[in-house]
Amino acid sequence: MGGKTLYDKLWDAHVVRDNGDGTALLYIDRQLVHEVTSPQAFEGLRLADRPLWRVDANLAVVDHNVPTTDRDKGIADPISALQVETLNQNCREYGITQFGLLDRRQGIVHIIGPEQGATQPGMTVVCGDSHTSTHGALGALAFGIGTSEVEHALATQTVVQARSKRMLIRVDGKAGPGVTAKDIMLAIIGKIGTAGGTGYAVEYGGEAIRALPMAGRMTICNMSIEAGARCGMVAVDDTTIEYLRDRPYSPKGERWDQAEAYWRTLVSDEDAEFDRVVTLDAAAIKPQVSWGTSPEMVVPVDGVVPDPADEPDETKRAGMQRALEYMDLKPGTPIREIRPEKVFIGSCTNSRIEDLRAAASILRGKRIAKNIREAMVVPGSGLVKWQAEQEGLDQVFKDAGFEWRDAGCSMCLGMNPDKLSAGERCASTSNRNFEGRQGAGGRTHLVSPEMAAAAAVAGHFVDIRELEQ
Amino acid sequence: MEPLTRVEGLVAPLDRSNVDTDAIIPKQFLKSIHRTGFGPNLFDEWRYLDYGEPGQDCSNRPLNPDFVLNQPRYQGASILLARENFGCGSSREHAPWALADYGFRVIIAPSFADIFYNNCSKNGILALALPAETVQALFEATEATEGYRLTVDLPEQVVITPEGDRYSFEIDPHRKHMLVEGLDEIGLTLEHADEIRAYEQQRRAVTPWLFEDLGPA
Ligand code: SF4
């Protein structure tokens, strides 16, 4: 028999029972909870008079609805405020550990989990949120679930799951200067498409992935869902282990040694077989900019907006046409001539300290261009914000003309007051460029933090590789 | 969840294909923190002439007289007759919540969108697919006969018309068991509570650090 993939190992270690109908009861080690997808789950528990199976497996935080300014004044929108207060109450009632609005550990759920060491290698991690795939960067099996499943996990510490097929995405060689994890991932999505990973558990490997720090691996795994895969993961190595050392919830003392020994087994065996293998050459990847309304609509920065006339597939051609209209772009326009009016640096994809450092390095001593109406940095967590301030990055951003905000999802989805207005064009480090995602009628271009910062300074997209010389 | 074995009820015909979950329950109502109370906003944009807001009293809102569910003859319907690809679009579980809250227990259509189909069985609604010709015949009978009722027998997997015609339908055993016993998936899983405990015990011995308390907030 052949060896096991990382996914197989994680799966097998968590099967409580095989249901015999293609599904299994899978044990959940960690559930992350946020205010938007959890209220009905708690209500369901109450109606059925069910206790939590294991209170200490849950960690809650408010992120989607929260304002990023004037926190001490509370939340102005009464409906958002109620959703936040409901989570507070549920956590109090059930005894769940929660980082509240004014806690410095508060932040985007997928930032704070790894930051606190609350999500670890070998864990199964769920959350009522599709970007839960982020935590797979630690060598965990992490995926998003619906509200009924949130309740199911709260009540039983399990979810009913069918086993996925296994895909390896191998990025060989070294990425060039100015080419970030975000560019690698956008290139992957551009290659396999937004449904390419449907039905698969994806493992990312190869030299270029191994070379990434944890922050970059999280950026990659985060956007697995944009490639259609519910979960993405990276095998454990020294980078993973060093990242976890001394995190608040990481195991301590003897338990650390025990855990580390186990974690080091969390790699795919040499002879493991995947159902599909996709390879990319890192050296060939250039900085990426999305031009359309789906994450697969992406081109290198030195390219042009594609022409639907060149697309043989009729459905795709129609989709491109619609996207061009929505984005108000003409085929053949050089990407470098596209001029955003807003710049957003944030979201669970790119709001870690490494992302802020990278953006600040471009902005040091510069000012945003006149056509940029608003540029904001929304750190992924209160602790990221604090760290950045220790390093003086806040001053760099402010001097350049950026707003320096409090942590949350913010303009990634515009559920709080941070939104695009109709017709506004934004260089954004987030993960979805769907119609209306950042605000009704808003136009999103997905880029790396460096590319967003460079666009803010130039007033149009620029090839970061030229700046760096 | 209420067990669903045999449903005998009034049929309401919704003669549109590709009814999406946004139409079933529009997005402004997703801000609710409850799973119940969506019934008055089911098909909100089709049902009322004004724009609905969450938290509004719907009893005084202007009804759209042309919408089928507003017709007196369909009041109290518990079986919804629909067209192909019912429940497509977003995965919002608010859609089956709204249908159940309104009073529907069974939805009959030629086909359903996947996620919606799954969400239904998690919420005590039987979504059952019949061949398009059969559905067409049922549409005709429902519209021709005021007070047209159907009997749906889940254990027998059959739909019975007043004329005595019997149409059998397929459903997977897991889903059927859940609905017939009135179990939500949580109830089913808790039947295996001992196995979950045994798993935890064994796991606790091997990976004790996974069971550490996160401590106070
Ligand atoms: S930052 Fe955006 S993608 Fe991430 S959890 Fe928040 S809303 Fe979702």
Side-chain angles (χ1 to χ4, degrees):
Chain A
M1 224 185 80
K4 283 183 172 186
T5 65
L6 170 57
Y7 174 72
D8 293 325
K9 291 182 184 180
L10 293 169
W11 175 274
D12 291 347
H14 289 89
V15 174
V16 171
R17 80 187 296 276
D18 187 337
N19 290 331
D21 56 1
T23 67
L25 210 52
L26 206 65
Y27 191 79
I28 300 305
D29 295 311
R30 176 75 70 231
Q31 170 149 240
L32 302 168
V33 180
H34 68 75
E35 77 274 20
V36 178
T37 51
S38 67
Q40 290 89 355
F42 284 106
E43 191 195 37
L45 289 179
R46 258 191 299 273
L47 287 175
D49 199 16
R50 284 185 177 125
L52 255 57
W53 183 277
R54 223 189 98 196
V55 176
D56 63 10
N58 299 284
L59 177 62
V61 71
V62 288
D63 57 1
H64 283 65
N65 268 297
V66 301
T68 53
T69 54
D70 301 321
R71 287 248 161 113
D72 42 344
K73 297 198 187 106
I75 302 175
D77 173 4
I79 304 181
S80 292
L82 179 63
Q83 226 172 24
V84 167
E85 181 47 32
T86 302
L87 181 63
N88 295 344
Q89 271 173 19
N90 284 327
C91 289
R92 271 198 301 273
E93 180 181 339
Y94 287 95
I96 294 173
T97 303
Q98 189 210 1
F99 300 162
L101 187 57
L102 300 176
D103 193 310
R104 61 202 289 258
R105 297 168 299 177
Q106 180 272 339
I108 305 168
V109 63
H110 309 306
I111 301 288
I112 63 138
E115 182 174 83
Q116 292 295 317
T119 49
Q120 302 165 6
M123 277 184 170
T124 40
V125 179
V126 293
C127 176
D129 193 286
S130 61
H131 289 98
T132 308
S133 55
T134 312
H135 309 267
L138 294 156
L141 177 54
F143 50 90
I145 55 178
T147 296
S148 278
E149 288 172 302
V150 170
E151 184 182 340
H152 192 282
L154 287 170
T156 71
Q157 215 51 50
T158 64
V159 292
V160 178
Q161 285 293 299
R163 202 176 182 128
S164 303
K165 290 177 285 181
R166 298 147 306 181
M167 185 189 295
L168 174 66
I169 297 182
R170 211 179 62 219
V171 189
D172 296 320
K174 288 189 176 60
V179 176
T180 69
K182 181 68 162 281
D183 302 303
I184 294 175
M185 193 56 198
L186 286 172
I188 290 172
I189 298 165
K191 178 174 171 125
I192 72 171
T194 46
T198 304
Y200 287 95
V202 174
E203 178 175 344
Y204 301 94
E207 189 186 348
I209 302 290
R210 299 251 69 86
L212 290 172
M214 286 313 296
R217 296 180 187 184
M218 288 186 226
T219 300
I220 300 260
C221 289
N222 173 273
M223 289 189 76
S224 299
I225 188 72
E226 274 68 49
R230 249 175 119 191
C231 64
M233 60 198 77
V234 175
V236 172
D237 61 8
D238 290 342
T239 305
T240 325
I241 304 288
E242 287 320 308
Y243 176 87
L244 280 152
R245 209 180 285 281
D246 301 325
R247 300 263 153 196
Y249 293 132
S250 287
K252 304 280 170 335
E254 212 178 291
R255 286 212 170 154
W256 168 270
D257 300 334
Q258 214 181 343
E260 185 187 337
Y262 173 62
W263 293 345
R264 290 207 182 265
T265 68
L266 298 173
V267 297
S268 288
D269 295 334
E270 298 247 337
D271 56 344
E273 279 182 25
F274 290 85
D275 299 289
R276 187 176 168 200
V277 178
V278 174
T279 56
L280 285 89
D281 173 13
I285 299 173
K286 299 172 179 176
Q288 306 280 310
V289 180
S290 76
W291 59 268
T293 52
S294 160
E296 70 187 13
M297 293 175 169
V298 70
V299 286
V301 62
D302 58 3
V304 298
V305 174
D307 191 342
D310 301 335
E311 172 60 56
D313 183 284
E314 201 177 314
T315 328
K316 274 198 184 154
R317 191 162 57 235
M320 288 172 74
Q321 199 64 57
R322 259 200 318 277
L324 287 178
E325 276 164 34
Y326 182 86
M327 294 296 289
D328 190 28
L329 290 171
K330 298 215 162 31
T333 307
I335 295 296
R336 278 181 281 203
E337 284 175 17
I338 298 174
R339 302 172 73 81
E341 292 130 354
K342 287 201 172 176
V343 177
F344 172 65
I345 297 177
S347 91
C348 56
T349 310
N350 282 124
S351 63
R352 282 164 282 266
I353 187 68
E354 292 84 349
D355 299 312
L356 304 195
R357 284 177 191 143
S361 74
I362 304 283
L363 293 171
R364 214 172 292 272
K366 307 229 170 66
R367 281 288 302 174
I368 58 174
K370 279 204 212 63
N371 59 306
I372 304 293
R373 248 178 264 160
E374 189 179 31
M376 64 166 98
V377 186
V378 183
S381 72
L383 290 172
V384 168
K385 185 178 190 198
W386 179 85
Q387 177 64 32
E389 287 170 354
Q390 299 310 299
E391 299 177 17
L393 303 182
D394 58 324
Q395 209 48 55
V396 175
F397 285 115
K398 287 189 242 174
D399 289 348
F402 273 77
E403 292 172 35
W404 181 244
R405 300 293 189 91
D406 288 323
C409 294
S410 180
M411 213 160 71
C412 173
L413 87 168
M415 208 164 160
N416 77 344
D418 311 337
K419 297 185 200 4
L420 293 183
S421 308
E424 272 181 336
R425 191 179 293 289
C426 181
S428 177
T429 66
S430 56
N431 45 53
R432 284 180 175 155
N433 52 350
F434 300 156
E435 288 188 16
R437 168 74 178 183
Q438 295 191 284
R443 298 172 178 139
T444 304
H445 293 277
L446 303 174
V447 287
S448 72
E450 290 91 323
M451 287 285 288
V457 172
H460 56 86
F461 289 110
V462 291
D463 190 337
I464 194 81
R465 296 169 301 176
E466 287 163 14
L467 284 191
E468 287 189 349
Q469 281 149 24
Chain B
M1 221 163 61
E2 218 180 302
L4 191 153
T5 47
R6 209 176 149 92
V7 175
E8 194 277 326
L10 188 67
V11 184
L14 185 64
D15 197 0
R16 302 190 192 216
S17 42
N18 300 310
V19 171
D20 63 63
T21 53
D22 229 300
I24 297 173
I25 183 86
K27 56 181 152 291
Q28 61 268 36
F29 305 106
L30 310 193
K31 289 192 178 187
S32 165
I33 52 169
H34 303 292
R35 194 188 288 248
T36 52
F38 293 102
N41 299 111
L42 175 70
F43 298 118
D44 198 275
E45 285 175 13
W46 293 343
R47 200 161 145 199
Y48 302 99
L49 295 169
D50 61 349
Y51 179 80
E53 298 280 2
Q56 199 179 7
D57 174 9
C58 293
S59 58
N60 298 318
R61 293 176 60 197
L63 292 173
N64 174 5
D66 297 332
F67 184 57
V68 65
L69 293 187
N70 288 335
Q71 296 176 20
R73 61 184 280 194
Y74 297 121
Q75 297 314 301
S78 58
I79 298 173
L80 184 67
L81 195 57
R83 295 293 189 183
E84 50 283 326
N85 200 24
F86 189 82
C88 59
S90 119
S91 66
R92 60 190 64 169
E93 236 173 273
H94 307 68
W97 294 342
L99 286 159
D101 196 56
Y102 183 90
F104 287 117
R105 305 280 342 256
V106 177
I107 306 170
I108 302 174
S111 60
F112 296 92
D114 265 356
I115 302 177
F116 176 81
Y117 186 70
N118 281 320
N119 282 343
C120 277
S121 55
K122 287 179 185 180
N123 291 283
I125 295 178
L126 171 61
L128 74 89
L130 289 176
E133 315 82 69
T134 309
V135 171
Q136 178 57 31
L138 291 175
F139 261 99
E140 286 166 17
T142 305
E143 280 157 10
T145 323
E146 190 158 339
Y148 190 80
R149 302 172 79 85
L150 285 172
T151 300
V152 176
D153 189 318
L154 178 53
E156 294 292 320
Q157 294 182 217
V158 67
V159 177
I160 308 161
T161 69
E163 301 82 37
D165 291 331
R166 298 167 70 88
Y167 302 111
S168 57
F169 60 89
E170 295 295 320
I171 182 168
D172 70 73
H174 174 80
R175 208 177 295 275
K176 179 175 173 180
H177 176 58
M178 246 163 66
L179 284 164
V180 170
E181 300 294 325
L183 292 168
D184 50 348
E185 211 155 41
I186 299 176
L188 274 184
T189 297
L190 288 174
E191 288 178 11
H192 306 293
D194 289 349
E195 287 165 80
I196 303 173
R197 271 186 219 106
Y199 171 89
E200 281 181 326
Q201 211 171 17
Q202 160 256 321
R203 199 68 182 151
R204 206 182 274 272
V206 188
T207 56
W209 64 89
L210 290 177
F211 292 84
E212 283 174 9
D213 199 340
L214 294 178

